[in-house]
Amino acid sequence: MPPDTAPLPSPLALPALHASHAGCWLRRGDGGSTGGVGKGEAVMAAADSPLLMINAPLVSTRLGYPDLSGLDLLELFAFIHPARFCVPTPRGLAHALDLPEPAGDDDVPRFLQLAAGALLARCNAPDWPERDGAWSVLQSLARLRWAWAGVLTPHVARPQQAEKWLFARLPEWEEAGERPQPAQVQLDEAQVDTRLVELTGLEAERRDGQQHFARSALRIFAPRARRDTPHMLLAQAGTGIGKTLGYLAPASLWAEQSKGTVWVSTFTKNLQRQLRSESRRAWPEARPDGSRPVVIRKGRENYLCLLNLEDALQGGFGGRAAIMAQLVARWAAYSQDGDMIGGDLPGWLGTLFRARAIRSLTDQRGECIYAGCPHYRKCFIERAARASAQADLVIANHALVMVNAARGRDHAQRPTRIVFDEGHHVFEAADSTFAAALTGAETVELKRWILGPERGSKGRRRGLAARLADVASYDEVGGKAVAAACHAAEALPTQGWLQRLAEGQPSGPLEELFTAVRATTYARDESGQDAGYAIETEAAQLDGAFVELAQQAGIALSEIRTPLIRLGVRLEALLTDGPDWLDGQGRARIEGARHSLTWRIDMLSAWESLLQRMGGPADPDFVDWLAVDRSDARDYDVGLHRRYLDPMKPFAQTVLAGTHGVMLTSATLCDRGADGPQWASAVERSGASHLDVAPHLVEAASPFDYAARAEVLIVTDVPKGDLAALAGAYARIIDACGGGVLGLFTAIRRLRAVHGRIADRLARAGLPLYAQHVDPIDTGTLVDIFRDDPAASLLGTDALRDGVDVPGNSLRCVVMEQVPWPKPSILHRARRAANGGGVHDDRIIRARLAQAFGRLIRSKDDRGHFIVLSPAFPSRLLGAFPPGTPVHRVTLDEALHRVGAANLIGTKSAVRAPEDEIR
């Protein structure tokens, strides 16, 4: 029965509160009328008795009262429907529960009472699909004094049989034999054409660009001619080409005929979800034997660690974090794959508890003890790794592919055919993967990994000696190596190191070095220390005292690395000729320990190399600098940094050389000049030049009619640096569009200032405004909210410039507050000097503009405006926009006239006013 005709549930007779930028509304629990109240009255009402609300941290922000608590319907939803999607707004909750949307802000409190009643009614329904385990978890939540426990208890019946504990309910993964190497097959274009038709459907419109793209993609699946020379394809495919199915057509054919595995690597989680959906056209959900042909793989830090969860459930967490752990346990029983970051765990769950507890339930620092874990056979991470080894298609991310190639445990599982979608981000991912950062935070973490937690720390973390106690007792040399590493690790920083640095009282050689780094960086800073942002200086012209401290720190690190190497050798010997008591589980645990050791040894080697360079000649392959990381004018980390001048060099050697076929594809893969795509920089940023490989180059132009459906407006009369004028421009544009505006900023400070000036008045007009770095909501959820409400607008920074897919009426206008100039960092200065100076900057800016413009037109029916609030927009940057896109330099009033007129023509902004109006 449709929501508008279905009988409504009985509302929960409790008072309800709603707060937005437009005001506050309170409704009594006896069914009385809803009334507007002031912020102070709302806070007092919440303090007197628990109130129904939705997204308590957001309500707290609106009221300016950080300690607000109540009966948050999102927590109730997470308990009753774990692993189910819901946009965390009244509108989103209405859609999730099949209830009528509230008519306005003043109707939200009544809706909250209705929604609470609907959720409680689900518990009483005999077909509640998530009933199993609910009663047991509720008892634990009641002991933790969860606000909803008393309300829920009458509605959750005690089961007739005792419910199994979560860890007894989870299925075990099974071992499978190693997949044989793929057969050598040669695909032809006719086969690819046929498969493409199968995937797109016989009734689908034929797209020549997609067919050309698919035929080109089959090149990377041909047999390789020479070692370390993979087939490479660089393919620029405009938005709307259908490149996903374009490369899945030859990929599915090759996997079917060769029995091999294809990896598709993305940069954003949004594209991973899209790929999983599209892949269902080519592969079934499961094979006849129950195995999955398509698997999503992410880094270990994305998955729930069952050992961490067990520790949290048994007292490792306290207060609100303990409640969150119980809700995560509910989710874990129903999750598809245990993915906590971008998977089926609601992104808003962690922000409800305003803590880092979500990430503390994952394996953030490679602490896994592998087969030594009691939950090893049920581990989500191990399950995904084994499933990917047998899969036809693995959907991963750039970082995982690179880390797996650099320090993967199983060489047999390294991908040999890779499609890097969002290929313009490969350079950025490699830059991060192959970097070295010797900082206070990193050294503190290394000390914890070796010695275990410091006194007073909660948690299951154990030091190296505890993790390898049985090995040390059996092998004298290994035991001495562990003891030597633990002794040497005492030289690393410990708790309170930042305070000691500020007071000039460092302890140990590393803290003494960081004190010198901090002092040198502050002494050389010319940016203005009151700005509150990170400051940096070159690792050059350092005095003798600094160089001496660097050498002493290097010696201390070497004294840690040497026994770790000896320990690794002994562990390898144990695997080769182990004792009788060493069973399969023990071998797997030792293998895991060797993997962790290798990671730390490589990291220590990189740090030592960085320190040895201090005071000597610069290495032309690297850029080194000193930095103090700050937030709100407070230091939070200090250290030395090293990046490759060209990170594609290690990428080529580590990732590309071992592959047989690689494709990099994107809508913005290469720069565009007057004569078309400029491939030279794209080839350089692919790593091909480091392997002496000549990649095949392909362009498939977008089928969208940008000339008729998009318009670029460069506003010339908003003065740079005038925050009042900038905020006024944003408010007027959002009002003229009726919402649906994505605002992109290059500085968080300006974003916050603009949001603070305009959010209230826009909300009073029925145009809600959300913002990164302001609203206590994760970025993915902000995009979900924006997509769900055509009247909403969203302000953000770089994370929203790429990878955001909002087709349809919810995104009608993209506004950039200025030209996205590169940040003038030491690293950028070095790369700028090595790559043509201003030409290098222009390429970066055009790529950013192209990525931002790509958010606007996502389907053939989309229309919209792209506005840049910059009076000085160089004409040489106009190549960022698709050929034929109209570009006009106009005043703000003219821009508003165009946007307003277009908004009257259709639900999605039509952009071309009549020619006489344009004149």
Side-chain angles (χ1 to χ4, degrees):
M1 188 177 294
D4 54 344
T5 59
L8 296 179
S10 300
L12 182 61
L14 290 174
L17 172 69
H18 175 60
S20 75
H21 283 291
C24 306
W25 292 267
L26 184 64
R27 182 179 178 87
R28 298 196 306 272
D30 57 8
S33 61
T34 301
V37 296
K39 291 184 178 180
E41 187 178 349
V43 170
M44 290 180 63
D48 289 341
S49 61
L51 302 179
L52 295 174
M53 59 184 71
I54 185 167
N55 202 336
L58 186 61
V59 174
S60 298
T61 301
R62 299 286 189 263
L63 297 178
Y65 188 77
D67 296 324
L68 188 73
S69 62
L71 294 165
D72 194 330
L73 265 74
L74 292 181
E75 293 183 29
L76 181 62
F77 186 91
F79 175 86
I80 294 175
H81 294 306
R84 187 178 296 190
F85 178 77
C86 173
V87 176
T89 61
R91 174 189 172 98
L93 188 60
H95 294 171
L97 299 178
D98 289 334
L99 294 175
E101 296 178 23
D105 278 338
D106 58 346
D107 189 38
V108 171
R110 181 197 66 83
F111 166 77
L112 296 181
Q113 294 174 336
L114 194 66
L119 283 167
L120 294 176
R122 298 278 175 103
C123 299
N124 296 318
D127 59 347
W128 179 24
E130 298 98 344
R131 178 181 300 279
D132 194 15
W135 187 85
S136 298
V137 171
L138 183 58
Q139 306 316 299
S140 298
L141 287 168
R143 289 191 291 271
L144 294 170
R145 298 190 175 185
W146 183 40
W148 279 107
V151 179
L152 265 170
T153 296
H155 300 275
V156 180
R158 181 170 184 165
Q160 294 181 354
Q161 295 182 343
E163 293 175 326
K164 291 183 179 180
W165 196 33
L166 166 69
F167 303 102
R169 294 171 58 197
L170 293 175
E172 293 189 353
W173 47 260
E174 295 181 358
E175 290 283 7
E178 185 176 322
R179 206 177 196 193
Q181 68 176 27
Q184 299 297 313
V185 298
Q186 184 73 55
L187 307 177
D188 60 48
E189 292 184 351
Q191 291 175 299
V192 172
D193 291 347
T194 302
R195 178 56 57 91
L196 185 60
V197 170
E198 293 172 359
L199 297 185
T200 57
L202 293 174
E203 303 300 321
E205 177 185 357
R206 178 188 173 93
R207 287 180 279 184
D208 292 338
Q210 185 184 44
Q211 185 184 54
H212 174 57
F213 180 88
R215 288 179 172 182
S216 301
L218 69 82
R219 293 172 177 270
I220 71 169
F221 299 103
R224 189 173 64 173
R226 299 194 315 274
R227 185 176 180 177
D228 295 342
T229 50
H231 296 289
M232 283 196 69
L233 172 68
L234 306 186
Q236 176 143 301
T239 307
I241 280 293
K243 68 177 183 297
T244 301
L245 293 181
Y247 58 66
L248 286 183
S252 60
L253 267 175
W254 181 83
E256 177 184 298
Q257 296 182 19
S258 71
K259 308 304 179 187
T261 304
V262 179
W263 284 57
V264 177
S265 179
T266 77
F267 189 72
T268 62
K269 296 179 177 67
N270 179 66
L271 182 56
Q272 284 190 327
R273 289 192 293 267
Q274 178 185 327
L275 269 165
R276 184 65 190 93
S277 176
E278 295 279 16
S279 69
R280 292 188 175 95
R281 299 177 183 231
W283 287 277
E285 195 68 32
R287 300 186 182 106
D289 64 358
S291 61
R292 290 181 292 160
V294 179
V295 174
I296 293 181
R297 278 290 306 278
K298 297 182 180 180
R300 305 183 65 85
E301 67 279 1
N302 288 275
Y303 295 94
L304 173 67
C305 170
L306 294 176
L307 194 56
N308 281 351
L309 177 63
E310 182 183 25
D311 177 72
L313 295 176
Q314 295 183 342
F317 284 6
R320 291 276 293 163
I323 293 172
M324 190 213 66
Q326 293 291 338
L327 294 178
V328 169
R330 277 281 287 156
W331 162 80
Y334 295 93
S335 173
Q336 286 188 341
D337 55 11
D339 180 3
M340 302 189 76
I341 314 296
D344 52 16
L345 181 77
W348 39 260
L349 186 62
T351 59
L352 293 184
F353 295 86
R354 289 170 285 183
R356 296 181 178 178
I358 285 286
R359 289 198 174 273
S360 68
L361 291 175
T362 66
D363 180 18
Q364 283 292 300
R365 292 288 177 173
E367 298 175 299
C368 183
I369 55 177
Y370 299 96
C373 174
H375 310 300
Y376 180 66
R377 298 287 304 184
K378 300 181 178 184
C379 174
F380 289 114
I381 305 169
E382 295 295 330
R383 183 188 310 280
R386 280 159 177 75
S388 66
Q390 304 296 322
D392 294 337
L393 177 70
V394 177
I395 302 170
N397 56 60
H398 297 347
L400 175 67
V401 170
M402 295 178 196
V403 170
N404 192 50
R407 55 174 185 258
R409 295 173 60 197
D410 189 350
H411 291 264
Q413 290 191 25
R414 289 189 179 183
T416 58
R417 276 82 179 175
I418 312 175
V419 176
F420 286 102
D421 205 335
E422 297 177 311
H424 59 282
H425 278 303
V426 168
F427 184 95
E428 179 183 342
D431 193 26
S432 176
T433 299
F434 300 106
L438 172 54
T439 71
E442 290 290 335
T443 52
V444 167
E445 194 59 45
L446 176 62
K447 185 171 187 176
R448 289 173 181 164
W449 181 80
I450 296 174
L451 296 180
E454 299 180 48
R455 291 181 180 177
S457 299
K458 288 186 176 182
R460 68 165 182 85
R461 302 182 66 164
R462 296 185 297 162
L464 194 60
R467 295 198 299 273
L468 295 175
D470 53 346
V471 174
S473 64
Y474 169 80
D475 185 85
E476 183 179 357
V477 176
K480 288 181 177 179
V482 170
C486 292
H487 176 74
E490 295 289 352
L492 296 171
T494 187
Q495 286 182 349
W497 68 276
L498 270 173
Q499 182 67 28
R500 290 192 293 275
L501 261 61
E503 295 171 351
Q505 299 292 327
S507 174
L510 271 301
E511 287 191 19
E512 290 176 356
L513 173 64
F514 294 142
T515 300
V517 169
R518 183 177 185 274
T520 302
T521 306
Y522 269 102
R524 296 180 175 185
D525 179 47
E526 299 183 34
S527 64
Q529 296 182 10
D530 294 334
Y533 300 110
I535 57 175
E536 60 183 23
T537 186
E538 300 97 326
Q541 305 301 317
L542 301 170
D543 60 30
F546 187 102
V547 174
E548 178 63 25
L549 290 174
Q551 299 309 311
Q552 293 300 318
I555 293 171
L557 295 176
S558 177
E559 290 176 351
I560 300 172
R561 180 174 57 88
T562 301
L564 291 182
I565 292 174
R566 288 202 303 270
L567 177 59
V569 172
R570 296 308 304 166
L571 293 180
E572 185 173 0
L574 275 177
L575 291 174
T576 304
D577 185 21
D580 295 338
W581 53 261
L582 190 61
D583 57 10
Q585 266 202 347
R587 287 180 175 276
R589 181 165 56 85
I590 291 176
E591 183 60 42
R594 284 184 61 213
H595 172 67
S596 296
L597 277 172
T598 302
W599 173 7
R600 266 66 182 200
I601 291 168
D602 290 345
M603 181 175 66
L604 285 162
S605 296
W607 288 353
E608 291 177 57
S609 177
L610 173 59
L611 291 176
Q612 288 167 5
R613 174 263 186 265
M614 298 296 110
D619 188 327
D621 282 342
F622 296 99
V623 181
D624 302 332
W625 71 95
L626 320 179
V628 177
D629 294 322
R630 303 189 297 172
S631 177
D632 297 325
R634 296 184 63 182
D635 300 353
Y636 67 86
D637 205 0
V638 178
L640 302 91
H641 298 261
R642 163 168 280 190
R643 295 286 180 100
Y644 274 88
L645 184 63
D646 180 6
M648 303 316 289
K649 183 175 182 179
F651 171 77
Q653 296 164 349
T654 305
V655 181
L656 296 183
T659 63
H660 288 240
V662 176
M663 175 182 183
L664 278 73
T665 184
S666 167
T668 56
L669 192 63
C670 65
D671 196 14
R672 182 174 294 278
D675 301 326
Q678 305 295 300
W679 286 104
S681 61
V683 173
E684 285 295 319
R685 292 170 72 90
S686 73
S689 58
H690 296 292
L691 291 181
D692 193 25
V693 171
H696 187 71
L697 310 176
V698 170
E699 183 188 23
S702 172
F704 296 154
D705 185 0
Y706 289 106
R709 295 189 170 273
E711 190 172 61
V712 176
L713 304 177
I714 300 172
V715 175
T716 59
D717 60 346
V718 177
K720 183 177 181 180
D722 188 335
L723 279 176
L726 181 65
Y730 264 99
R732 296 177 67 189
I733 291 170
I734 292 172
D735 184 60
C737 288
V741 174
L742 176 63
L744 299 175
F745 286 75
T746 58
I748 296 174
R749 179 180 58 84
R750 289 194 294 274
L751 182 155
R752 287 172 171 164
V754 168
H755 180 272
R757 289 170 181 257
I758 68 176
D760 288 0
R761 53 176 154 148
L762 287 172
R764 288 192 290 270
L767 302 172
L769 180 65
Y770 297 90
Q772 272 186 304
H773 310 291
V774 176
D775 294 313
I777 304 174
D778 66 285
T779 301
T781 301
L782 282 173
V783 174
D784 289 336
I785 294 171
F786 177 52
R787 184 186 294 112
D788 187 60
D789 187 357
S793 295
L794 176 60
L795 307 182
T797 52
D798 290 353
L800 297 181
R801 193 181 59 222
D802 199 5
V804 173
D805 187 20
V806 185
N809 199 41
S810 289
L811 202 169
R812 305 183 286 280
C813 182
V814 175
V815 183
M816 298 195 78
E817 48 115 7
Q818 67 173 32
V819 176
W821 304 103
K823 181 182 177 182
S825 65
I826 290 171
L827 179 61
H828 171 72
R829 185 178 67 191
R831 288 178 176 160
R832 184 179 190 274
N835 292 283
V839 175
H840 177 69
D841 285 356
D842 289 350
R843 280 198 297 263
I844 292 174
I845 298 168
R846 281 193 291 265
R848 291 175 177 177
L849 289 169
Q851 291 155 18
F853 182 87
R855 303 310 101 214
L856 186 63
I857 307 296
R858 306 298 296 171
S859 70
K860 63 183 179 62
D861 297 322
D862 284 356
R863 299 176 181 270
H865 286 87
F866 186 87
I867 301 175
V868 184
L869 302 175
S870 175
F873 189 99
S875 297
R876 66 181 184 275
L877 301 179
L878 295 177
F881 306 115
T885 307
V887 179
H888 302 282
R889 297 180 186 269
V890 296
T891 64
L892 179 60
D893 287 340
E894 290 176 282
L896 294 171
H897 173 71
R898 286 176 175 274
V899 170
N903 226 23
L904 294 175
I905 296 175
T907 56
K908 182 79 171 180
S909 293
V911 299
R912 301 305 300 274
E915 287 300 319
D916 57 341
E917 290 187 25
I918 293 177
R919 295 193 186 97

